[in-house]
Amino acid sequence: MGKCILAQRKGAGSIFTAHTHKRKGAAKLRPLDFGERRGFVKGTVRQIVHDSGRGAPIALVQFRHPYKYKRMQARMIAVEGMQTGQFLYCGKRAELAIGNCLPLKMVPEGSIVCNVELKTGDRGSLARASGEYCIVISHLPEQERTRIKLPSGEKKSISWNCRAMIGIIAGGGRTEKPLLKAGAAHYAAKAKRKCWPTIRGVARNPVEHPHGGGNHQHVGHPTTVQRACPPGQKSGLIAARRTGRHRGGQKNNKE
């Protein structure tokens, strides 16, 4: 079968794992507590910092601890227009202003929100990448749900007790700047340990990949492989139910 191919080496981790020691940590909304459910909690943006491997900047927001005589710091994804020294308000009675965190039922229809919770209290799941946002379409009071439009264009109905930040995630337009040279693409991929440049299997030698070799660049056999085949052979269309182009229109049953 030849030597140990690249896919086998990457599976072991080792040098193929991302360098995460410079990352600031998970960016989440503050934990949902009594103060947020009934009123609001005031916080101060102490610092806006870069997080390695993330397109959007992170805001370090300081709150008073709900039970103890001390302060606690939350790492939140920064919103466009946020600045150091700004006061943030999180809770049911917070006003509708950039950077504030409110439950969706308190946000009027047509508002732009980001860092939206998918389930109540999960501290942010949707629209978290740089420049992304959701739009509040409508409220469904009898079901206690809110319908939102996701960055992909899909419309989704979630609980109206889920929290969201008002505004757009900072760092938008990041991908519009051209990379211009291979070095820039190299370092962009290195931060997230992506496989770059991508070399096709047919362009390799037979010892390096099952699709390699031959007098012309061709596979020479079906690319479908079974689920149980051994590592080193398991490359191509793994346990494919079907192959080829999908012809004809796709029915959208979600609407």
Side-chain angles (χ1 to χ4, degrees):
M1 204 188 331
K3 67 177 186 180
C4 183
I5 69 171
L6 184 62
Q8 290 172 278
R9 293 175 59 212
K10 291 180 81 171
S14 181
I15 63 166
F16 294 100
T17 54
H19 300 303
T20 57
H21 64 284
K22 288 185 178 178
R23 298 191 181 178
K24 301 295 183 287
K28 299 180 179 181
L29 301 174
R30 66 187 299 279
L32 184 62
D33 57 8
F34 180 84
E36 279 203 43
R37 279 195 292 266
R38 294 300 175 90
F40 65 85
V41 181
K42 179 181 174 183
T44 310
V45 180
R46 289 294 178 196
Q47 216 175 346
I48 295 176
V49 295
H50 169 70
D51 188 18
S52 181
R54 187 192 296 270
I58 280 184
L60 304 179
V61 187
Q62 201 172 69
F63 294 93
R64 289 181 62 179
H65 196 280
Y67 311 116
K68 299 181 181 178
Y69 181 67
K70 64 177 185 179
R71 291 187 174 91
M72 53 185 282
Q73 186 168 270
R75 284 185 299 268
M76 295 182 175
I77 301 174
V79 176
E80 206 167 283
M82 193 180 276
Q83 56 193 10
T84 53
Q86 176 184 335
F87 292 132
L88 290 189
Y89 298 92
C90 301
K92 181 182 175 182
R93 295 174 185 252
E95 64 177 10
L96 197 75
I98 295 291
N100 285 0
C101 178
L102 290 82
L104 286 172
K105 64 182 175 184
M106 307 305 293
V107 179
E109 296 172 2
S111 300
I112 287 176
V113 294
C114 60
N115 204 4
V116 186
E117 290 183 330
L118 186 59
K119 295 177 182 174
T120 309
D122 72 5
R123 301 173 69 184
S125 297
L126 307 172
R128 291 163 54 88
S130 55
E132 300 288 15
Y133 61 90
C134 292
I135 300 172
V136 178
I137 299 172
S138 60
H139 297 297
L140 309 169
E142 63 280 353
Q143 300 171 16
E144 295 191 352
R145 296 182 78 79
T146 296
R147 196 164 166 78
I148 60 171
K149 185 178 180 182
L150 302 180
S152 63
E154 183 185 346
K155 295 179 178 70
K156 195 171 184 68
S157 170
I158 58 176
S159 169
W160 71 357
N161 292 315
C162 293
R163 296 172 294 168
M165 292 180 76
I166 308 299
I168 300 173
I169 299 287
R174 175 175 49 87
T175 56
E176 291 170 13
K177 180 185 173 185
L179 291 169
L180 294 179
K181 57 181 187 176
H186 166 80
Y187 287 112
K190 186 182 176 186
K192 293 194 176 184
R193 188 51 82 187
K194 290 183 176 177
C195 183
W196 189 91
T198 308
I199 302 168
R200 292 165 298 129
V202 289
R204 300 181 190 177
N205 297 313
V207 75
E208 293 160 344
H209 198 274
H211 298 174
N215 285 342
H216 302 283
Q217 284 192 9
H218 71 293
V219 181
H221 55 82
T223 56
T224 52
V225 290
Q226 60 180 339
R227 179 81 66 196
C229 67
Q233 185 187 341
K234 200 172 184 178
S235 56
L237 302 171
I238 299 168
R241 288 191 174 88
R242 56 154 293 166
T243 60
R245 289 174 56 197
H246 287 270
R247 305 294 291 266
Q250 297 282 323
K251 286 186 178 179
N252 189 3
N253 297 322
K254 292 180 181 178
E255 289 299 324

